[in-house]
Amino acid sequence: MAILEVNDIHTFYGDMQALYGVSLTVDEGEIVTMIGANGAGKTTTLKTISGILTPRRGKVIFKGEEIQGVPAHKLVSKGLVLVPDGHQVFPSLTVFENLKMGSITRKDREKINHDLEWVFQIFPRLKERTNQIAGTLSGGERQMLSIARALMADVDLLLLDEPSMGLAPFLVREIFDVTRHLNKHGVTILIVEQNAPMAFSVAERSYVIETGRVVLEGTVEELRRNPKVKTAYLGG
């Protein structure tokens, strides 16, 4: 059953059109990826889904409810959370304070404390740095914290925007191992990535976006065999 349906969205920045009829679906329990070059429309798609941008045409349906135009903070409380690119954290707050910010829309204190312990099990390095100022963390640690903060919102659908950007290869592997772990524990995930081989290593299905349009879709195995995908995204 689809937890997310994106139907024919057209999104603009002012008068400049960025998306031209993008459609995709994510079923509950899946990891789905969208790959494409820089500037292809991947981030704009996530911003439209997450309520940061409103499409001029088309629908975004989350858990059966139309959400296009709903502000981002209201979607967080519904369980749809975006982890933006660039390892974004609140740099002047501690690790613990950042995690608490992730749960700011919640009232279920007992569950919040349970989720905090769960997050520390997934990211033991963050537990070691609970009282450290987030701006002093390494890039990989900030990426872990940004994902952990999203999990503290009691997420149903996690949107990951370029989680490998700027990270050393061993940290990229670690982040994607965490992605697999989260999915096994019930988190549905949509990842946009330029690093297609790594995205394909965790996803079941994929979409290819070019100049604001979805040009290919299918299972990861189907796209791995596609000559165009092999040449453009998988190194031949």
Side-chain angles (χ1 to χ4, degrees), residues 21 27 32 34 48 67 97 100 116 133 144 152 163 186:
D27 288 340
V32 174
M34 173 178 279
T48 305
I67 60 169
E97 288 167 340
K100 283 293 187 183
L116 183 61
I133 298 299
M144 293 175 191
M152 288 301 298

Side-chain angles (χ1 to χ4, degrees), residues 102-109 111-112 115 151-154:
S103 64
I104 198 167
T105 63
R106 300 172 60 182
K107 306 296 183 187
D108 50 339
R109 292 298 153 195
K111 180 69 162 52
I112 289 171
D115 287 350
L151 296 176
M152 288 301 298
D154 196 18

Side-chain angles (χ1 to χ4, degrees), residues 89-227:
V89 297
F90 297 106
S92 62
L93 302 182
T94 66
V95 167
F96 180 75
E97 288 167 340
N98 268 268
L99 294 173
K100 283 293 187 183
M101 289 296 290
S103 64
I104 198 167
T105 63
R106 300 172 60 182
K107 306 296 183 187
D108 50 339
R109 292 298 153 195
E110 187 174 337
K111 180 69 162 52
I112 289 171
N113 291 333
H114 175 273
D115 287 350
L116 183 61
E117 288 305 311
W118 178 56
V119 162
F120 281 147
Q121 289 174 18
I122 298 168
F123 299 104
R125 219 174 309 174
L126 296 183
K127 188 169 186 177
E128 296 169 3
R129 290 158 172 72
T130 301
N131 296 314
Q132 186 171 333
I133 298 299
T136 67
L137 298 173
S138 69
E141 290 165 346
R142 290 197 305 273
Q143 182 65 296
M144 293 175 191
L145 180 56
S146 64
I147 295 172
R149 186 182 59 206
L151 296 176
M152 288 301 298
D154 196 18
V155 62
D156 293 315
L157 175 60
L158 186 64
L159 309 178
L160 295 178
D161 190 2
E162 300 280 8
S164 73
M165 182 182 291
L167 299 183
F170 78 95
L171 287 172
V172 172
R173 289 192 294 271
E174 188 171 343
I175 291 296
F176 277 88
D177 285 343
V178 166
T179 301
R180 290 189 194 92
H181 178 80
L182 294 176
N183 183 248
K184 288 178 180 177
H185 284 76
V187 181
T188 305
I189 303 172
L190 173 61
I191 308 172
V192 304
E193 260 294 346
Q194 290 188 60
N195 187 339
M198 190 57 69
F200 279 9
S201 75
V202 298
E204 300 161 50
R205 294 190 299 112
S206 183
Y207 295 83
V208 180
I209 187 168
E210 295 178 358
T211 60
R213 298 172 173 85
V214 172
V215 295
L216 287 169
E217 62 180 277
T219 67
V220 164
E221 290 308 312
E222 289 169 343
L223 293 184
R224 276 198 179 109
R225 295 193 296 267
N226 184 288

